[in-house]
Amino acid sequence: MDTTPHHLFVVEDDPAMRDMLSAYLERQGLSVTAMASAEEMMRRIHRRRPDLIVLDVMLPGESGVDACRRLRAEGDRVPIILLTARTEEVDRVLGLEMGADDYLGKPFSARELLARIRAVLRRSGTLPGVPLAGEREVRIGAHTFVPATRSLHAVDGELRVLSTVEYSILAELVANPQVPISRERLLSVSHTRGEELLARTADVAVMRLRKIVEPDPAMPRYIQTVRGHGYMFVPHLQRLAAA
């Protein structure tokens, strides 16, 4: 059994906060590399790969949101928890749209952050949401969903590796073709955390998936909305009857 501790990047420009979080997480058995900027994080990330990044939004130079966006644009799916003093819903949704795995508003307790870290590591590790070797590949329009690699392959050869939340939601939908799946169920299988933003989190993940697989995301063919309930995967070109 591998007993190597999970390795985290803690990217926070406030020295007192950075030192406090690093010391606390190391006392909980985690390995921590602390740094003060997104630029330093980008320089280090390929030298020693983290299992998860705790990333402050308000950083000098490149912001945490911009760094998250850049990593996702490069196809890097390293789990990211964003930290911010902002509490407005629009800011939280922006972080989720950029591909963050979770979002924690300041002030917060170190214990709560630890719980979030463990939840995200479980989601990306060996608990529900991890692909099984026997799961079959599924054609979705011009893409093929490959559970074994958590990815979508386009006919032109482009490869998109999915985040844990994106993968979990898509896997649940394609496993139940033409069956309406509630937002609550999708959130349950993806272990998404949050409060009033739970339903919106599922919507954001579906929106990102539609941008990949749908010829016209505004008129989805494959991941259709079931009004007042959730979503449904529709193979081929079948359409829901108008509600």
Side-chain angles (χ1 to χ4, degrees):
M1 180 178 179
D2 185 4
T3 58
T4 303
H6 286 105
H7 176 222
L8 275 56
F9 279 4
V10 172
V11 188
E12 165 64 65
D13 65 314
D14 183 309
M17 173 70 77
R18 184 172 65 246
D19 292 346
M20 182 275 291
L21 291 178
S22 298
Y24 176 79
L25 294 173
E26 287 181 338
R27 289 198 300 272
Q28 306 307 312
L30 298 166
S31 170
V32 177
T33 299
M35 57 202 75
S37 70
E39 289 81 3
E40 184 179 0
M41 178 192 75
M42 297 302 289
R43 287 195 301 270
R44 291 190 181 209
I45 195 167
H46 301 299
R47 296 206 300 264
R48 186 183 180 193
R49 183 76 179 169
D51 296 304
L52 181 145
I53 300 174
V54 177
L55 179 61
D56 189 33
V57 168
M58 302 300 291
L59 293 170
E62 185 175 22
S63 73
V65 169
D66 288 339
C68 181
R69 180 193 295 115
R70 183 147 65 106
L71 286 170
R72 297 309 188 230
E74 294 173 357
D76 195 320
R77 308 313 303 181
V78 58
I80 296 173
I81 296 177
L82 291 178
L83 305 178
T84 182
R86 298 178 177 181
T87 57
E88 293 297 322
E89 177 174 334
V90 65
D91 297 312
R92 297 187 182 190
V93 171
L94 176 62
L96 295 170
E97 288 177 343
M98 293 305 103
D101 293 84
D102 206 345
Y103 203 99
L104 189 57
K106 299 177 181 177
F108 59 86
S109 70
R111 181 178 296 180
E112 180 180 8
L113 175 59
L114 178 64
R116 298 291 185 102
I117 289 170
R118 286 174 171 167
V120 172
L121 288 172
R122 284 197 302 269
R123 294 206 306 256
S124 60
T126 58
L127 292 186
V130 175
L132 301 175
E135 291 185 1
R136 63 185 180 89
E137 298 179 3
V138 178
R139 186 67 178 267
I140 307 175
H143 292 77
T144 299
F145 175 46
V146 184
T149 57
R150 298 185 178 213
S151 59
L152 284 162
H153 296 243
V155 293
D156 63 5
E158 182 181 359
L159 170 67
R160 170 67 180 266
V161 179
L162 302 176
S163 72
T164 302
V165 174
E166 291 167 346
Y167 164 76
S168 300
I169 287 177
L170 186 57
E172 183 70 12
L173 288 168
V174 301
N176 300 277
Q178 302 187 60
V179 176
I181 306 295
S182 70
R183 287 177 174 84
E184 291 76 17
R185 180 170 168 184
L186 293 175
L187 292 165
S188 176
V189 299
S190 66
H191 293 261
T192 302
R193 296 182 62 90
E195 293 151 1
E196 73 279 1
L197 290 177
L198 280 177
R200 185 64 184 273
T201 302
D203 295 339
V204 168
V206 168
M207 178 187 69
R208 292 200 302 258
L209 290 167
R210 283 174 170 169
K211 287 180 177 179
I212 303 171
V213 303
E214 299 287 357
D216 180 1
M219 296 288 290
R221 296 178 177 181
Y222 308 109
I223 304 176
Q224 297 186 11
T225 300
V226 181
R227 294 179 186 176
H229 185 70
Y231 298 97
M232 180 169 71
F233 172 59
V234 181
H236 313 303
L237 301 180
Q238 296 163 284
R239 299 299 301 248
L240 274 176

